[in-house]
Amino acid sequence: MDVLQKLQDPQLVANFQHLFGIRRVEATRVKKYVGSNHLCASVSNSHNREIKTNIMERYLDEQSSKQGLHLRRKYKRLADTDTHKTHSRQDSAVSITSVASDSSNGSGRSWMGMLLGENTGGMEGSMEEDSTVSESEVEENSFEIKDRFWYHLFFFATGLGGELFYSVFFCFWSWNVDSAVLRRVMVIWMITMYIGQALKDILKVPRPACPPVVRLDPKWQLEYGLPSTHAMVGAAMPFSILILTLNRYQLDWGWGLAIAVTWCTCVCLSRLYLGMHTVLDVVCGLMLVTVLLVMILPWVDVLDHLALTHPASPLISFTLTVAMVVCYPATDRWTPARGDTTVIVGVGCGSLLGSWTNYQLGIIREPSLPPPYSVIWPSLNMIGLSLLRTILGLVIIMAVKAIFKSLSFATICALLQVKAEDYVNKTGGITVRHRLIVELFYKFITYIAIGFTVVYTGPMAFRLIGIERPTFYTEI
């Protein structure tokens, strides 16, 4: 138990941050310095009030109607006192603004998030403003970055474990590398993330206390901490891609192993550097994903074959994924984990449906020779076609997302007889249950369409204009 307590100690994370150049600064006013040797990021009173209100409203909106008034009064009292300023703000988390958010015009959303999907860690809807913020809270959220190299490296590394990165990565891999590997990897991704996210909301282990930790990636801090799903996906993706690719191609495993280890290490360390997980969170995530990979990898080929060939595959895939969304564990407060999980499950379901359609229509078929295959290294012409496919495919995905999000949102609002503006503005008589149904429905349907587009609609468009990848048709 002493070892577990030590690994969960937030001071251990704070020491790690200090080692890599993160310093708290004593200040009552908010400024941002950009110098030759350091960056100083801090929070203004007005921005702090806005973020605090957003988090409070998100928290309150997901509580039961029976306890809603009691919880709102209780939360208001906590927000107006200084009793819990040194406690980890798991229920009243105050986000901090870092240099990374400047690139998104203060909205907390990157260009990739604008392009590909929901910023599931961000805030939805317009909120009322709360003016309760203390000077000490501003001081706690003031910090400086002494070494910009580590700052940018770890922010890049944490993106390797995020959904937005995989939105681009999966598309590129399917359209330009090997769709057979991608189908198997997406099954692993879906199962791994679902189990990790569900365990967070079952175990309810808070993130490391702030202070002493400085949180540089606050958009996720409403989620619980254990296990670290960033660590899980940061290990599951590179190692499963490596193993599955080596099974199909004649490649030197040395370089691939080095890349996988580096990928996994950087993602795990980034979560400590950004102050979002304890060492125990990361270790448990790595242990859990190791067990899952040992269990799933031997069966992934069988699962892929059944998904492609079984007549009932679409019905089974859709039923199972709907059950995963509906049966996601309930929590005592709102976290973005359920919405994130719905997005992941929706993409996985859509990709399974698209793959089955490809096989049933004869678009993909059994190869004439069994693996392993020789690697075809890209020429300049192939690189140009890859870029063209990627750009065109992402444009198609943007259009699909806009269309299906609008249609699914309007459909569920009509079925529930709620006004769309009430959901968006969080006004009117819309109940908490209806809000949850609306969110999960439109996300699930929209991302099923996106997953289907990645493996079917996109490649079909490439065939129509003559820029398809020939080997796509035999990748089973």
Side-chain angles (χ1 to χ4, degrees):
M1 292 301 296
D2 291 340
V3 175
L4 295 181
Q5 291 177 354
K6 181 64 176 177
L7 292 178
Q8 201 174 12
D9 187 0
Q11 189 59 49
L12 193 61
V13 180
N15 294 340
F16 181 86
Q17 292 181 309
H18 190 273
L19 178 66
F20 284 91
I22 300 177
R23 303 288 188 273
R24 286 191 175 275
V25 294
E26 298 297 331
T28 58
R29 299 292 299 174
V30 176
K31 297 179 181 178
K32 183 173 73 174
Y33 301 95
V34 181
S36 57
N37 296 322
H38 72 278
L39 301 176
C40 179
S42 50
V43 182
S44 66
N45 285 344
S46 60
H47 187 70
N48 230 330
R49 286 196 298 268
E50 178 183 355
I51 293 178
K52 189 171 184 177
T53 304
N54 288 345
I55 293 175
M56 181 186 71
E57 291 295 331
R58 289 174 65 183
Y59 170 67
L60 293 173
D61 283 338
E62 297 300 325
Q63 306 305 313
S64 66
S65 57
K66 181 178 178 180
Q67 297 179 338
L69 180 61
H70 169 73
L71 289 169
R72 183 177 291 274
R73 289 173 176 171
K74 178 180 178 181
Y75 189 86
K76 280 288 189 180
R77 289 198 299 271
L78 289 175
D80 291 334
T81 63
D82 296 330
T83 306
H84 301 283
K85 289 175 185 173
T86 58
H87 181 69
S88 172
R89 288 174 171 77
Q90 197 64 37
D91 292 334
S92 57
V94 180
S95 298
I96 57 178
T97 300
S98 65
V99 176
S101 65
D102 296 336
S103 62
S104 56
N105 300 321
S107 65
R109 298 189 65 179
S110 65
W111 66 268
M112 194 183 296
M114 298 288 191
L115 176 68
L116 287 173
E118 304 294 335
N119 182 4
T120 49
M123 314 302 178
E124 292 186 8
S126 61
M127 309 295 177
E128 298 176 357
E129 190 171 2
D130 180 20
S131 60
T132 56
V133 64
S134 66
E135 291 295 325
S136 62
E137 286 171 345
V138 177
E139 292 179 14
E140 288 174 0
N141 290 330
S142 299
F143 60 92
E144 62 180 357
I145 308 298
K146 292 290 188 180
D147 194 323
R148 284 184 289 180
F149 171 78
W150 295 115
Y151 176 85
H152 293 297
L153 174 64
F154 285 125
F155 254 103
F156 171 78
T158 200
L160 298 179
E163 288 83 2
L164 294 178
F165 167 75
Y166 289 109
S167 298
V168 176
F169 180 82
F170 288 159
C171 294
F172 182 86
W173 194 277
S174 176
W175 299 335
N176 302 306
V177 183
D178 191 303
S179 60
V181 170
L182 178 72
R183 291 196 307 270
R184 293 160 172 81
V185 168
M186 288 193 73
V187 170
I188 295 172
W189 177 64
M190 181 171 59
I191 296 174
T192 298
M193 287 298 293
Y194 184 85
I195 293 175
Q197 294 283 65
L199 280 176
K200 279 185 178 182
D201 285 338
I202 292 173
L203 298 176
K204 298 181 175 63
V205 178
R207 293 188 183 272
C210 174
V213 171
V214 176
R215 290 180 183 165
L216 278 72
D217 190 15
K219 66 180 182 178
W220 304 113
Q221 69 180 3
L222 279 179
E223 286 187 3
Y224 292 107
L226 188 148
S228 169
T229 49
H230 265 80
M232 292 179 67
V233 76
M237 292 300 97
F239 285 105
S240 62
I241 291 171
L242 173 64
I243 294 171
L244 294 171
T245 302
L246 289 176
N247 286 339
R248 288 180 59 83
Y249 295 98
Q250 299 172 358
L251 287 170
D252 180 12
W253 63 269
W255 283 103
L257 181 61
I259 293 173
V261 170
T262 303
W263 183 335
C264 177
T265 302
C266 288
V267 171
C268 293
L269 293 181
S270 72
R271 303 314 286 167
L272 300 178
Y273 177 87
L274 298 176
M276 302 310 296
H277 285 289
T278 64
V279 176
L280 183 63
D281 297 342
V282 174
V283 171
C284 288
L286 292 176
M287 293 175 63
L288 177 59
V289 78
T290 300
V291 174
L292 290 175
L293 287 179
V294 170
M295 295 174 61
I296 298 172
L297 279 172
W299 296 96
V300 72
D301 289 340
V302 175
L303 294 175
D304 182 66
H305 180 75
L306 290 174
L308 291 177
T309 62
H310 200 284
S313 175
L315 178 61
I316 294 173
S317 298
F318 185 79
T319 303
L320 285 178
T321 50
V322 168
M324 291 168 73
V325 173
V326 173
C327 297
Y328 188 87
T331 60
D332 56 347
R333 64 179 180 83
W334 189 91
T335 75
R338 188 167 192 170
D340 294 349
T341 307
T342 301
V343 168
I344 294 168
V345 170
V347 172
C349 179
S351 67
L352 291 172
L353 297 178
S355 299
W356 182 86
T357 303
N358 278 330
Y359 185 84
Q360 298 301 317
L361 294 179
I363 296 173
I364 58 175
R365 56 191 181 276
E366 297 286 347
S368 57
L369 297 174
Y373 307 112
S374 299
V375 176
I376 303 175
W377 298 106
S379 62
L380 289 178
N381 181 62
M382 294 170 63
I383 293 175
L385 289 175
S386 295
L387 293 176
L388 182 58
R389 283 192 294 265
T390 302
I391 294 172
L392 176 61
L394 292 179
V395 170
I396 295 173
I397 287 178
M398 290 173 61
V400 168
K401 177 181 180 293
I403 294 170
F404 277 86
K405 181 177 179 180
S406 178
L407 291 176
S408 60
F409 182 77
T411 300
I412 191 62
C413 286
L415 291 175
L416 296 178
Q417 296 182 343
V418 299
K419 295 181 179 179
E421 55 269 21
D422 288 343
Y423 175 86
V424 174
N425 298 323
K426 299 193 175 182
T427 57
I430 182 171
T431 65
V432 173
R433 180 178 178 81
H434 281 171
R435 287 191 56 82
L436 180 62
I437 293 174
V438 169
E439 178 187 5
L440 297 183
F441 181 88
Y442 87 77
K443 284 185 175 181
F444 186 62
I445 298 300
T446 300
Y447 284 90
I448 283 180
I450 290 176
F452 189 85
T453 300
V454 172
V455 299
Y456 178 78
T457 310
M460 180 180 65
F462 304 151
R463 288 194 301 274
L464 291 176
I465 62 176
I467 61 171
E468 75 276 17
R469 182 169 55 88
T471 55
F472 175 84
Y473 303 113
T474 58
E475 291 171 348
I476 293 182

